[in-house]
Structure formats: structure tokens, C-alpha cells
Amino acid sequence: MNWVILATDKVSSKGLQPLREDERFDVRSVDDSASAEFSSALSEAHGLIVRSATEVGLALLDNAPKLQLIGRAGVGVDNIDIPAASSRGIAVFNAPGGNTIAAAELTMALILSVVRRVTAADRSVRAGAWDRASFQGVELRGRTLGLIGAGRIGREVARMCEAFGMEVVAHDPYVSDADAEDLGVRLVALNDLIRTADVISLHVPLSDETRHLVDADVLDRMKKKAFLINASRGGVIVEDDLAVALAEGVISGAALDVYEDEPLPATSPLRSAPNLVLTPHLGASTKEAQVTVAREVAIEVRRALVEGDVSSALNADDLV
Ligand code: NAD
């Protein structure tokens, strides 16, 4: 046995197979990162694999004297203090592609739910009504999808929406015209996208550039009949402004999977806003994605420890 790997946050055990079946690794799963069992395993661990629940900050790193790498089974690394890890020579890996399909398919579910009023109609039937008149929807065919962010997930959503007969335009300052042409997507200025899209779907990372990108001013410039979808990161939308826009009919509807504060506070105005579909950050929650992200990161961890190859680490340039 050469290396101890500590997996937490219910990382898929099936996905960790590449490490489990390799006798050089001793994989220990402790799902509660606040437990004494976790602290004890951490003190011996060479590798730590987490999802989003465990905060990997200074306090944790101080108790991990042998740690050489951290793997995040998923994309977002908001819960990992990367500069602190870098300063200790700890490589940080994520699994960027493993949940792309899951997130894109949830986006489609959100789009279809809001344009066809599926969740509202469901609530009405359950309450004893048979009200067909209140739930007339609109068709996607022939309408324009405006993607803000045309990375991995945005591109999948583009492909799926094209299959629904939608025209796709995108705003992404980091995608070249040639790339966009390959994708069959027309790149447009943000302002034009906001004015012309029937469905706007956000697929950007949360950054200084994207924080509160969608505020009252943007919502005012959207078509009155348009819908807004966010399965990227909370914080990209000013939630209070969205709640007001929905209540006043500034846009037709919205669907959100992610929120500025998660869990969504009980007092959030979103909870009572009309024409709004809410899901509790389910984008990556498919059986398939959980196995794939764990497998992707397990392979990175194995390569890093066995071959000493940390070139694909997020902080590769900052490791000494
Ligand atoms: P990605 O890095 O492949 O794509 C992000 C794209 O956003 C890139 O093409 C980038 O150029 C673009 N971008 C950055 N700043 C921009 C700006 N100011 N305006 C327009 N475009 C900008 O990432 P991805 O894998 O497609 O993930 C997209 C988002 O979805 C991320 O925030 C990720 O954390 C989130 N996500 C959420 C869930 C969920 O559970 N809901 C699951 C997976 C991913």
C-alpha cells in the first residue's frame, strides 16, 4: 500500500473503482467530514476526494500533513481554497466534463417546465382542479435561444435546443467565431441577445464579470414574452430584481436551479414569485454523472500519484 485516499461527501464508490482495484491505494470513505473518524483518516491521507459539501480551507489543510492532492468530483471548486492548497504544494483537480450532460438535460427540463407550465399545472391538478385554460404554453420550435456562456454545458444545450427547432445565438467573449461556426451558433453582442432571445439560458462561471449580470436593467430589456433559465451558479442573477420582474410581468417566466445563498432562505421572495420553477441545485444529480465525475477524478488522482503528473491540476502553474 503506497497511498491513502480519503473520499467524503458520498462520492460514488463505483466511480472510485480505478483506485479501489489498484492495490497501491487504500481508499477510505468517510461521508461525514465533521466526524472524528474523518479527522483521523485525514491525518494519514495523501489524497482527498470531495464533492461540494466539505469546505477545504486552512482549518482542514492544517490537519492534513501528508496531503499531496485534492480531487473535486464535479466542476465547481468554490469550496476549495486553491491559493492555500497551492502554497502547501497540494495539487487540486476537478472533473469538468463529467456532469455536462446531466446539467444540460436539467436545463432542458427547466425550459420545458416553464414554457409549458408543467409544475404549476401539476400543483393545480393535485389541489383538485381541472383547469386547462390557465396553463396554455408556447412552443419552442421557431423561437430563439440566447445562451450566455457557450462552454461545455452551453454547447450541449445548443445542440438539444436545435433538435427542438430553435435558432441559437450566444454571447461568450472567450469563444472564437470559428468555434461558434463549428457549433452552428451565431455569436452576438450581449445587448442584442438580451433584446431578441425568447429563452435566455445562463451557462457561465460565477466571477467578478458575471456576478449580478442579470439585474433589473437587463430584465427590463428582455422581451416581455421571454423566459430566463439559470442552472449555472447562483449570484449571476439579482434575485430580488427577478422576483419583482416576475410579479410585475416584465418577463413571462423563469426557472432556477442555483441560488446566491444555498439552501435558498425560507424568506426568499423567489419562493412566492409567479411563473417560476425552482429546483434545489439538481444539475449534476444523476446516477450517471455521479459515477462519471468520481471516475474522472479517480483517474486524475491515480495518474498524479503514480506518475507524478500534475499537469492537468487547476493550480499546476502555482505548484512549486
Ligand atoms: P465551461 O467553463 O465549459 O463554460 C463556461 C463558459 O462561460 C466558457 O465558454 C466561458 O468562456 C464563458 N464565460 C465566462 N465569462 C463569461 C461572460 N462574462 N459572458 C459570457 N460567457 C462567459 O463550464 P461548464 O461546464 O459549461 O459549466 C457552466 C456553469 O454551470 C458553471 O458555473 C458550472 O459551475 C455550472 N454547473 C452547474 C451545475 C448544477 O448543478 N446546476 C452542474 C454543472 C455545472
Side-chain angles (χ1 to χ4, degrees), residues 151-153 171-174 203-205 209 231-233 257 281 283-284:
R152 281 175 293 262
I153 298 168
H171 171 73
D172 188 324
Y174 307 103
H203 299 286
V204 288
E209 226 176 57
S232 63
R233 277 288 178 264
D257 185 47
H281 204 143

Side-chain angles (χ1 to χ4, degrees), residues 1 3 5 19 22-27 301-302 305-306:
M1 205 85 58
W3 296 289
I5 305 296
L19 295 171
D22 186 328
E23 60 189 19
R24 292 169 292 186
F25 293 94
D26 171 11
V27 181
V301 164
R302 189 178 57 190
L305 287 171
V306 174

Side-chain angles (χ1 to χ4, degrees), residues 136-164:
Q136 190 179 55
V138 293
E139 293 180 10
L140 294 179
R141 188 179 56 167
R143 290 203 152 75
T144 300
L145 170 75
L147 286 174
I148 302 186
R152 281 175 293 262
I153 298 168
R155 288 164 196 221
E156 272 307 319
V157 172
R159 203 176 55 75
M160 293 174 186
C161 284
E162 276 159 8
F164 275 80

